[in-house]
Amino acid sequence: MPTRLSAPDAAASTTGREARQPLVGGRRVADMVATIAVLTIATAAGLGVAWGIVFLSLGFHSCSAPGNRCDETLGGVVVYAGPVVVALVVALSVVVSVMRLVRHRVAWPVAVTGLVAVVAVFFAALLLVDSAVTLGI
């Protein structure tokens, strides 16, 4: 015998978190494949970006040239903290994506946001290192 929901229970099942339908079937598989693919690309990009940020320290070799000025403190912070920030962004996007996959929610936008954030961290580090080195000639 089916049970009838009271008025508050019926209203609660049509609004809010309870009203969201979980992903099923082909949509779930497509979301999982897309999320895994984007997270793999984000991880590989994160490794490349981390090494790229470390190699930005080579820009400070021109500091000994006459007329050049460098803010080595800012450059050191960027070169050492940049890869850590990249690792945190990748780890956070993986954790949040996996949590959303486990809860049967759409997860690929989180993975794409993580990939975009990795690229943004690289360009921010590039701008900071570029502003730390002033060429005098």
Side-chain angles (χ1 to χ4, degrees), residues 1-121:
M1 169 180 262
T3 60
R4 300 193 90 182
L5 295 174
S6 65
D9 291 336
S13 66
T14 59
T15 60
R17 288 185 65 137
E18 296 83 13
R20 287 190 245 161
Q21 298 298 320
L23 293 176
V24 292
R27 291 181 64 197
R28 174 150 169 74
V29 171
D31 178 53
M32 190 174 292
V33 168
T35 302
I36 291 170
V38 173
L39 285 176
T40 303
I41 293 168
T43 303
L47 287 171
V49 164
W51 277 107
I53 291 173
V54 170
F55 284 131
L56 289 176
S57 66
L58 294 175
F60 289 94
H61 288 295
S62 68
C63 292
S64 61
N68 291 353
R69 290 182 296 128
C70 297
D71 184 359
E72 293 181 7
T73 305
L74 174 62
V77 168
V78 170
V79 168
Y80 289 116
V84 173
V85 172
V86 169
L88 289 174
V89 166
V90 170
L92 184 66
S93 65
V94 167
V95 167
V96 172
S97 294
V98 168
M99 287 174 52
R100 289 186 64 86
L101 284 173
V102 167
R103 293 179 180 162
H104 299 280
R105 300 288 179 224
V106 178
W108 68 266
V110 175
V112 170
T113 304
L115 178 60
V116 170
V118 165
V119 174
V121 167

